Amino acid sequence: GRKQWALRTLVINLDRRKDRWRGVQSRLKAPQVSGLLAVERFVATDGQCEGAVPDDVVSRRWTTDHNAKYDGRQGYRAGVELEMSPGERACAMSHVRAWREVLSVAGGGSDPGGGGDGVGEPVLVLEDDAVLAADFAKRLRPAVEAAAAAGADALYLGYIQGAPWRRCVSKGLQEAEYLWTTVGYILWPRGARRLLGALPVDAPVDNFMAWLCASGRLRSLAVEPELVDQEGEWDF
């Protein structure tokens, strides 16, 4: 029955940031108590731990070529090679491990070429600075059901828009081209398989996901207005 609908929610949190875990637990209490979310702490990869991020999963360097098509900041240009910071690489690895978890629970294993058709239960991936909109509980279930019906691989609940919407799917639901931030998104097993099949992550993880969407390899939808924001301002 509908009362049993509880969205599995992985909250990415570093062991050394217990303060952040306490904060996000408090913010997620109401939807957890109501049975809307089934919240789990998902231990983040720590960039300070040597060898925690394999080079064949997350690259050490990236170029601005793809992102420059969408980033209009003055002086931002294509053709620049940059080094990924330990924090960026660890963040990417945390999300890769979350994608593997989404796929393994669906029965496809963490191998992107594994079995299963990828149509399974969606999982909400949240970073630990996520703040829920006031109407989160009211709008979440209809948005997830509409996105599933539209064949979404991923549904962004929070984002910074890098390009105009491709089209309006239904009221409050848009098809995205290029979105920044990974503060909160819902991922279906099919989407997890597509993300894992495109490894290594060769840019900051939000850019990586955005480019797969822009290039037609990941079908990303987004709720409008957003259902999740970041506790602090994004450094744009």
Side-chain angles (χ1 to χ4, degrees), residues 27 30-31 36 131-140 225-229:
R27 296 191 296 275
L36 185 64
V131 178
L132 308 186
D135 57 354
F136 182 89
K138 178 183 174 185
R139 290 173 50 213
L140 179 68
E226 296 169 81
L227 281 174
V228 174
D229 200 359

Side-chain angles (χ1 to χ4, degrees), residues 70-110:
Y70 299 95
D71 194 325
R73 287 179 293 180
Q74 189 173 1
Y76 197 99
R77 59 188 176 84
V80 178
E81 189 176 67
L82 300 168
E83 190 162 336
M84 289 247 266
S85 72
E88 285 174 326
R89 296 187 74 239
C91 177
M93 190 67 203
S94 297
H95 283 274
V96 169
R97 289 175 38 246
W99 305 339
R100 289 171 175 167
E101 178 68 13
V102 172
L103 194 56
S104 66
V105 171
S110 59

Side-chain angles (χ1 to χ4, degrees), residues 22-231:
R22 284 192 297 271
V24 76
Q25 270 188 306
S26 173
R27 296 191 296 275
L28 296 177
K29 186 175 180 181
Q32 190 167 12
V33 168
S34 71
L36 185 64
L37 302 181
V39 177
E40 304 170 33
R41 180 174 174 268
F42 190 77
V43 178
T45 301
D46 194 333
Q48 294 181 5
C49 296
E50 189 68 34
V53 186
D55 291 2
D56 60 348
V57 178
V58 181
S59 302
R60 290 186 177 269
R61 301 186 71 78
W62 67 290
T63 75
T64 56
D65 291 357
H66 296 155
N67 202 50
K69 298 178 192 295
Y70 299 95
D71 194 325
R73 287 179 293 180
Q74 189 173 1
Y76 197 99
R77 59 188 176 84
V80 178
E81 189 176 67
L82 300 168
E83 190 162 336
M84 289 247 266
S85 72
E88 285 174 326
R89 296 187 74 239
C91 177
M93 190 67 203
S94 297
H95 283 274
V96 169
R97 289 175 38 246
W99 305 339
R100 289 171 175 167
E101 178 68 13
V102 172
L103 194 56
S104 66
V105 171
S110 59
D111 175 8
D117 59 7
V119 182
E121 292 301 312
V123 175
L124 171 57
V125 179
L126 287 177
E127 293 177 347
D128 61 10
D129 58 351
V131 178
L132 308 186
D135 57 354
F136 182 89
K138 178 183 174 185
R139 290 173 50 213
L140 179 68
R141 183 183 285 125
V144 174
E145 290 173 350
D153 293 328
L155 173 64
Y156 281 76
L157 303 186
Y159 50 84
I160 292 170
Q161 203 175 337
W165 300 122
R166 282 182 165 151
R167 69 182 181 99
C168 178
V169 177
S170 58
K171 187 181 178 187
L173 192 65
Q174 300 282 355
E175 183 166 353
E177 179 176 340
Y178 200 91
L179 300 174
W180 286 294
T181 83
T182 48
V183 65
Y185 59 92
I186 292 168
L187 189 63
W188 278 264
R190 176 181 53 235
R193 179 172 287 113
R194 288 175 175 169
L195 288 164
L196 292 167
L199 293 180
V201 177
D202 58 359
V205 68
D206 59 337
N207 295 5
F208 173 79
M209 291 178 67
W211 181 249
L212 287 185
C213 176
S215 57
R217 289 175 285 169
L218 187 74
R219 182 139 195 255
S220 298
L221 305 186
V223 294
E224 189 184 37
E226 296 169 81
L227 281 174
V228 174
D229 200 359
Q230 286 180 289
E231 192 174 27

